[in-house]
Amino acid sequence: MSAPRLRLGVNVDHIATVRNARGGALPDPVRGALLAIEAGADGITAHLREDRRHIRDEDIARLMASISKPLNFEMAATEEMIGLAIKTKPHAACLVPEKRSERTTEGGLDVIGGHDHVRDATARLKAAGIRVSLFIEPSVDALEAAASIGAPVVELHTGSWCEAVSEGSAHAEHEFERIRVAAAKASELGLECHAGHGLDYATAKRIAGLPQIVELNIGHFLMGEALFVGLPQAIRTMRKAMDAGRPKAPWWTTPER
Ligand code: PXP
């Protein structure tokens, strides 16, 4: 048995960022989502932020009406977003922390300190039939807290590792090791494990080597690449990188990479 197939979720937020820079309707994130699916994406991710800086409410409605693959609705655990998610009923909801001042989602959810509102949001979304994932730091404590909250899925924040890799920092291997240990712990706790933030072709290929991780969510890098090679080509190259990094032999006999 090989490692399970690694799904690619394409985050279309930054198509909306470019659109919003000028106002108007173009480029359209829904067109990007349809192209991404045609090129091999297994799902689409969109983050409706409190300040609507990229994706807007009508984008979510149009994505739900148009795409043939699952929508992963990224959201803060606020009353407004919980209400919207329950009304919209996407396939999945990924709970993320959100601060108005940050440029992107800068850290994992505080599942250890901020338990109650995350637990409540998780229960309400699950009751609405939505698959809930918690975006957390790759730490054993965060994984144990996520399991106790009752979410079936975690998404490990790969940002610190990717940043260390891109800076050529000696810390990069330590960061990768945290992800490796966290993915193994997720599996031990019975949690489905996803990963994302800051991934590019090389880091996606490497992380594909961790067999417990079954989904990567990737946005910014793919949209940047799309400027130069087009979105379908960027997605096909990403798919190839992920397949190349995936263990083919029985993964429990595959040497550590
Ligand atoms: N996963 C989560 C939970 C995120 O918040 C983001 C950023 O919106 C991503 C994945 C994608 O990160 P990037 O755009 O850096 O690929």
Side-chain angles (χ1 to χ4, degrees), residues 11 13 74 94 96 104-105 135 155 196-198 217-220:
N11 181 318
D13 290 353
E74 254 187 51
C94 180
V96 301
T104 178
T105 313
F135 187 49
E155 180 166 327
H197 210 283
N217 285 301
I218 310 180
H220 186 266

Side-chain angles (χ1 to χ4, degrees), residues 9 11 13-14 45-47 49 54 72 74-75 94-97 104-107 133-136 155-159 195-200 216-223:
N11 181 318
D13 290 353
H14 295 304
T45 295
H47 184 179
R49 295 186 75 105
H54 37 58
N72 177 29
E74 254 187 51
M75 54 177 270
C94 180
L95 298 181
V96 301
T104 178
T105 313
E106 280 169 5
S133 78
L134 305 182
F135 187 49
I136 58 170
E155 180 166 327
L156 302 179
H157 197 313
T158 52
H197 210 283
L199 293 168
D200 61 13
L216 301 181
N217 285 301
I218 310 180
H220 186 266
F221 173 79
L222 284 173
M223 297 312 151

